[in-house]
Amino acid sequence: MGRVSPPAVRRDPDRDPGLQPERTRLAWRRTTLSGTVVAVLAVKTTLHGGVSAAGIVACALCCVLWLGVLGLAHRRIRALAATPGPVAFAPRHAAAAVLCTVAMAVCGAALVL
Amino acid sequence: MIEFVRNVRLWFAPAEVRRDGETPDYRFSLANERTFLAWLRTALALIGGGFAVDQFLPDLRWGWRVGLALALLAAGVLCSLRAVNHWVRCERAMRRGEDLPVSRFPALLSLVVAVVAVAMVVVVLVGWEG
Protein backbone atom coordinates (compact mmCIF):
# COMPACT_ATOMS: atom_id res chain seq x y z
CA MET A 1 0.00 0.00 0.00
CA GLY A 2 1.73 3.15 -1.29
CA ARG A 3 3.91 4.03 1.63
CA VAL A 4 7.06 4.68 -0.35
CA SER A 5 8.37 8.20 0.02
CA PRO A 6 11.09 9.56 -2.22
CA PRO A 7 14.42 9.09 -0.41
CA ALA A 8 15.76 12.47 -1.55
CA VAL A 9 13.14 14.37 0.47
CA ARG A 10 14.14 14.71 4.10
CA ARG A 11 11.19 14.89 6.42
CA ASP A 12 10.96 17.49 9.11
CA PRO A 13 11.48 15.46 12.30
CA ASP A 14 8.81 17.52 14.05
CA ARG A 15 6.18 16.34 11.62
CA ASP A 16 6.88 12.64 11.70
CA PRO A 17 5.64 11.79 15.20
CA GLY A 18 2.08 12.73 14.26
CA LEU A 19 2.21 10.59 11.17
CA GLN A 20 3.62 7.25 12.29
CA PRO A 21 1.12 6.43 15.04
CA GLU A 22 -1.62 7.47 12.64
CA ARG A 23 -0.42 5.04 10.00
CA THR A 24 -0.15 2.29 12.57
CA ARG A 25 -3.67 3.05 13.75
CA LEU A 26 -4.96 2.73 10.19
CA ALA A 27 -3.05 -0.53 9.77
CA TRP A 28 -4.89 -1.91 12.81
CA ARG A 29 -8.16 -0.69 11.30
CA ARG A 30 -7.45 -2.50 8.03
CA THR A 31 -6.65 -5.63 9.98
CA THR A 32 -9.99 -5.52 11.81
CA LEU A 33 -11.69 -5.09 8.42
CA SER A 34 -9.98 -8.25 7.14
CA GLY A 35 -11.13 -10.03 10.29
CA THR A 36 -14.68 -8.82 9.64
CA VAL A 37 -14.62 -10.31 6.14
CA VAL A 38 -13.52 -13.67 7.57
CA ALA A 39 -16.26 -13.55 10.24
CA VAL A 40 -18.94 -12.74 7.64
CA LEU A 41 -17.74 -15.60 5.41
CA ALA A 42 -17.82 -17.91 8.44
CA VAL A 43 -21.46 -16.96 9.13
CA LYS A 44 -22.31 -17.52 5.46
CA THR A 45 -20.66 -20.96 5.52
CA THR A 46 -22.63 -21.89 8.64
CA LEU A 47 -25.98 -20.83 7.25
CA HIS A 48 -25.34 -22.42 3.85
CA GLY A 49 -26.72 -25.91 3.35
CA GLY A 50 -28.10 -27.30 6.60
CA VAL A 51 -27.55 -25.75 10.01
CA SER A 52 -26.00 -28.10 12.58
CA ALA A 53 -25.27 -27.66 16.27
CA ALA A 54 -21.53 -28.09 15.75
CA GLY A 55 -21.65 -25.51 12.96
CA ILE A 56 -23.39 -23.00 15.21
CA VAL A 57 -20.79 -23.52 17.94
CA ALA A 58 -17.89 -23.04 15.49
CA CYS A 59 -19.55 -19.95 14.05
CA ALA A 60 -20.20 -18.45 17.49
CA LEU A 61 -16.57 -19.11 18.39
CA CYS A 62 -15.49 -17.35 15.20
CA CYS A 63 -17.60 -14.32 16.14
CA VAL A 64 -16.11 -14.26 19.65
CA LEU A 65 -12.61 -14.39 18.15
CA TRP A 66 -13.55 -11.56 15.82
CA LEU A 67 -14.61 -9.54 18.88
CA GLY A 68 -11.26 -10.46 20.40
CA VAL A 69 -9.41 -9.00 17.40
CA LEU A 70 -11.58 -5.87 17.61
CA GLY A 71 -10.81 -5.54 21.31
CA LEU A 72 -7.06 -5.95 20.78
CA ALA A 73 -7.11 -3.36 18.01
CA HIS A 74 -9.11 -0.99 20.17
CA ARG A 75 -6.68 -1.31 23.06
CA ARG A 76 -3.69 -0.77 20.81
CA ILE A 77 -5.29 2.26 19.11
CA ARG A 78 -6.03 3.77 22.52
CA ALA A 79 -2.44 3.17 23.62
CA LEU A 80 -1.11 4.77 20.44
CA ALA A 81 -3.27 7.85 20.89
CA ALA A 82 -2.60 8.25 24.61
CA THR A 83 0.99 9.50 24.51
CA PRO A 84 3.05 11.50 22.01
CA GLY A 85 5.85 8.91 22.14
CA PRO A 86 3.77 5.74 21.73
CA VAL A 87 4.12 2.72 24.00
CA ALA A 88 5.98 -0.23 22.50
CA PHE A 89 3.94 -3.07 21.06
CA ALA A 90 4.05 -5.98 23.51
CA PRO A 91 4.89 -9.48 22.21
CA ARG A 92 1.97 -10.82 24.25
CA HIS A 93 -0.35 -8.51 22.36
CA ALA A 94 1.05 -9.76 19.03
CA ALA A 95 0.75 -13.37 20.17
CA ALA A 96 -2.89 -12.78 21.21
CA ALA A 97 -3.75 -11.34 17.79
CA VAL A 98 -2.07 -14.29 16.07
CA LEU A 99 -3.80 -16.82 18.32
CA CYS A 100 -7.18 -15.27 17.43
CA THR A 101 -6.30 -15.63 13.73
CA VAL A 102 -5.14 -19.23 14.10
CA ALA A 103 -8.25 -20.14 16.11
CA MET A 104 -10.41 -18.57 13.39
CA ALA A 105 -8.69 -20.81 10.83
CA VAL A 106 -9.31 -23.87 13.04
CA CYS A 107 -13.00 -22.94 13.33
CA GLY A 108 -12.98 -22.52 9.55
CA ALA A 109 -11.59 -26.01 9.10
CA ALA A 110 -14.31 -27.36 11.41
CA LEU A 111 -16.97 -25.54 9.38
CA VAL A 112 -15.63 -26.64 6.00
CA LEU A 113 -15.35 -30.32 6.94
CA MET B 1 12.94 -25.15 14.13
CA ILE B 2 14.75 -24.93 17.48
CA GLU B 3 15.12 -21.20 16.86
CA PHE B 4 11.35 -21.04 16.35
CA VAL B 5 10.65 -22.80 19.65
CA ARG B 6 12.99 -20.42 21.44
CA ASN B 7 11.16 -17.48 19.87
CA VAL B 8 7.76 -18.84 20.97
CA ARG B 9 8.90 -18.29 24.55
CA LEU B 10 9.65 -14.67 23.70
CA TRP B 11 6.11 -14.03 22.40
CA PHE B 12 4.84 -14.28 25.95
CA ALA B 13 7.79 -12.67 27.73
CA PRO B 14 7.88 -8.95 26.92
CA ALA B 15 10.45 -8.29 29.64
CA GLU B 16 12.90 -10.69 28.03
CA VAL B 17 12.76 -8.91 24.68
CA ARG B 18 13.24 -5.60 26.45
CA ARG B 19 16.32 -6.82 28.31
CA ASP B 20 18.22 -7.17 25.04
CA GLY B 21 20.21 -4.21 23.77
CA GLU B 22 18.79 -0.70 23.50
CA THR B 23 15.32 0.54 22.66
CA PRO B 24 15.31 1.63 19.00
CA ASP B 25 13.65 4.79 17.70
CA TYR B 26 9.93 4.17 18.22
CA ARG B 27 9.29 4.89 14.56
CA PHE B 28 11.21 1.74 13.63
CA SER B 29 9.18 -0.24 16.12
CA LEU B 30 5.96 1.12 14.68
CA ALA B 31 7.11 0.25 11.16
CA ASN B 32 7.86 -3.28 12.37
CA GLU B 33 4.38 -3.43 13.93
CA ARG B 34 2.80 -2.36 10.64
CA THR B 35 4.72 -5.05 8.78
CA PHE B 36 3.42 -7.58 11.29
CA LEU B 37 -0.13 -6.33 10.71
CA ALA B 38 0.32 -6.55 6.94
CA TRP B 39 1.35 -10.21 7.30
CA LEU B 40 -1.59 -10.80 9.62
CA ARG B 41 -3.90 -9.36 6.97
CA THR B 42 -2.32 -11.68 4.42
CA ALA B 43 -3.06 -14.57 6.76
CA LEU B 44 -6.67 -13.40 7.20
CA ALA B 45 -7.02 -13.08 3.42
CA LEU B 46 -5.80 -16.68 2.99
CA ILE B 47 -8.31 -17.84 5.62
CA GLY B 48 -11.04 -15.87 3.87
CA GLY B 49 -9.94 -17.50 0.62
CA GLY B 50 -10.39 -20.91 2.24
CA PHE B 51 -13.99 -20.02 3.14
CA ALA B 52 -14.54 -18.58 -0.34
CA VAL B 53 -13.37 -21.77 -2.09
CA ASP B 54 -15.78 -23.76 0.05
CA GLN B 55 -18.67 -21.37 -0.56
CA PHE B 56 -18.30 -20.17 -4.12
CA LEU B 57 -17.20 -23.34 -5.93
CA PRO B 58 -20.14 -25.61 -5.01
CA ASP B 59 -19.97 -27.62 -8.25
CA LEU B 60 -16.61 -29.11 -7.38
CA ARG B 61 -16.22 -32.62 -6.05
CA TRP B 62 -16.18 -32.70 -2.23
CA GLY B 63 -12.57 -33.86 -2.02
CA TRP B 64 -11.15 -31.12 -4.21
CA ARG B 65 -13.22 -28.40 -2.63
CA VAL B 66 -12.38 -29.35 0.96
CA GLY B 67 -8.75 -30.07 0.06
CA LEU B 68 -8.24 -26.63 -1.48
CA ALA B 69 -10.09 -24.91 1.36
CA LEU B 70 -8.01 -26.72 3.99
CA ALA B 71 -4.78 -25.93 2.12
CA LEU B 72 -5.65 -22.23 2.13
CA LEU B 73 -6.64 -22.31 5.81
CA ALA B 74 -3.38 -24.07 6.68
CA ALA B 75 -1.44 -21.47 4.69
CA GLY B 76 -3.22 -18.79 6.72
CA VAL B 77 -2.21 -20.44 9.98
CA LEU B 78 1.43 -20.73 8.87
CA CYS B 79 1.45 -17.15 7.67
CA SER B 80 0.12 -15.76 10.96
CA LEU B 81 2.56 -17.82 13.06
CA ARG B 82 5.38 -16.64 10.87
CA ALA B 83 4.15 -13.04 11.23
CA VAL B 84 4.63 -12.97 14.99
CA ASN B 85 7.88 -14.94 14.79
CA HIS B 86 9.36 -12.53 12.26
CA TRP B 87 8.18 -9.56 14.29
CA VAL B 88 9.99 -10.84 17.39
CA ARG B 89 13.15 -11.55 15.40
CA CYS B 90 13.13 -8.08 13.82
CA GLU B 91 12.47 -6.43 17.16
CA ARG B 92 15.40 -8.27 18.73
CA ALA B 93 17.72 -7.53 15.82
CA MET B 94 16.87 -3.82 16.05
CA ARG B 95 17.53 -3.77 19.78
CA ARG B 96 20.90 -5.48 19.33
CA GLY B 97 21.82 -3.31 16.34
CA GLU B 98 22.17 -6.39 14.13
CA ASP B 99 21.09 -6.80 10.51
CA LEU B 100 17.42 -7.56 10.09
CA PRO B 101 16.73 -11.28 9.60
CA VAL B 102 16.41 -12.50 6.03
CA SER B 103 13.65 -14.91 5.18
CA ARG B 104 12.72 -17.49 2.58
CA PHE B 105 9.08 -17.26 3.56
CA PRO B 106 7.85 -14.60 1.07
CA ALA B 107 9.24 -16.62 -1.86
CA LEU B 108 7.74 -19.81 -0.43
CA LEU B 109 4.34 -18.20 0.10
CA SER B 110 4.22 -16.75 -3.40
CA LEU B 111 5.06 -20.16 -4.84
CA VAL B 112 2.30 -21.78 -2.77
CA VAL B 113 -0.22 -19.12 -3.82
CA ALA B 114 0.79 -19.57 -7.48
CA VAL B 115 0.41 -23.36 -7.22
CA VAL B 116 -2.99 -23.03 -5.51
CA ALA B 117 -4.13 -20.57 -8.17
CA VAL B 118 -3.10 -22.91 -11.01
CA ALA B 119 -4.69 -25.85 -9.18
CA MET B 120 -7.92 -23.87 -8.84
CA VAL B 121 -8.02 -23.04 -12.55
CA VAL B 122 -7.38 -26.68 -13.48
CA VAL B 123 -9.83 -28.02 -10.92
CA VAL B 124 -12.58 -25.59 -11.91
CA LEU B 125 -12.21 -26.48 -15.60
CA VAL B 126 -12.05 -30.25 -14.95
CA GLY B 127 -14.68 -30.12 -12.24
CA TRP B 128 -17.22 -28.44 -14.49
CA GLU B 129 -16.66 -30.96 -17.26
CA GLY B 130 -17.22 -33.97 -15.02
Side-chain angles (χ1 to χ4, degrees):
Chain A
M1 323 220 157
R3 311 209 159 92
V4 185
S5 60
V9 180
R10 287 197 71 81
R11 280 236 176 85
D12 180 2
D14 289 339
R15 272 180 58 192
D16 221 345
L19 218 62
Q20 294 264 351
E22 187 80 347
R23 276 157 59 182
T24 311
R25 184 172 74 85
L26 289 171
W28 273 103
R29 229 354 116 222
R30 286 198 294 279
T31 308
T32 59
L33 274 176
S34 307
T36 308
V37 171
V38 171
V40 168
L41 282 170
V43 172
K44 186 184 184 309
T45 306
T46 313
L47 296 180
H48 184 84
V51 179
S52 67
I56 300 258
V57 169
C59 180
L61 207 57
C62 241
C63 291
V64 169
L65 291 164
W66 173 66
L67 286 178
V69 172
L70 279 189
L72 285 169
H74 185 71
R75 268 184 54 193
R76 183 62 188 147
I77 285 169
R78 290 274 295 266
L80 283 171
T83 47
V87 203
F89 186 45
R92 206 174 299 167
H93 207 135
V98 164
L99 284 184
C100 281
T101 311
V102 169
M104 268 182 159
V106 171
C107 287
L111 281 172
V112 166
L113 280 173
Chain B
M1 201 62 209
I2 296 160
E3 169 81 15
F4 182 79
V5 172
R6 209 173 327 131
N7 283 340
V8 169
R9 215 164 36 83
L10 284 179
W11 300 355
F12 299 99
E16 210 160 318
V17 177
R18 216 157 282 178
R19 236 191 345 252
D20 257 357
E22 292 176 1
T23 306
D25 187 331
Y26 79 86
R27 283 171 286 185
F28 297 148
S29 289
L30 287 181
N32 193 18
E33 180 179 343
R34 286 198 298 275
T35 308
F36 162 71
L37 289 173
W39 277 110
L40 203 60
R41 283 197 297 280
T42 307
L44 284 168
L46 286 167
I47 293 169
F51 278 118
V53 164
D54 182 53
Q55 281 297 295
F56 300 117
L57 297 176
D59 296 339
L60 285 183
R61 275 219 306 275
W62 185 85
W64 278 108
R65 188 160 52 87
V66 170
L68 267 177
L70 286 183
L72 282 168
L73 288 171
V77 169
L78 268 183
C79 192
S80 60
L81 288 176
R82 188 266 178 184
V84 66
N85 193 48
H86 193 74
W87 176 80
V88 165
R89 283 173 68 198
C90 285
E91 201 70 10
R92 224 167 22 162
M94 287 195 299
R95 298 191 76 92
R96 291 175 176 171
E98 292 168 358
D99 287 342
L100 289 183
V102 289
S103 172
R104 234 177 256 117
F105 187 82
L108 208 71
L109 181 67
S110 30
L111 279 180
V112 167
V113 169
V115 167
V116 167
V118 169
M120 260 154 111
V121 169
V122 169
V123 155
V124 165
L125 289 178
V126 173
W128 273 339
E129 274 172 13

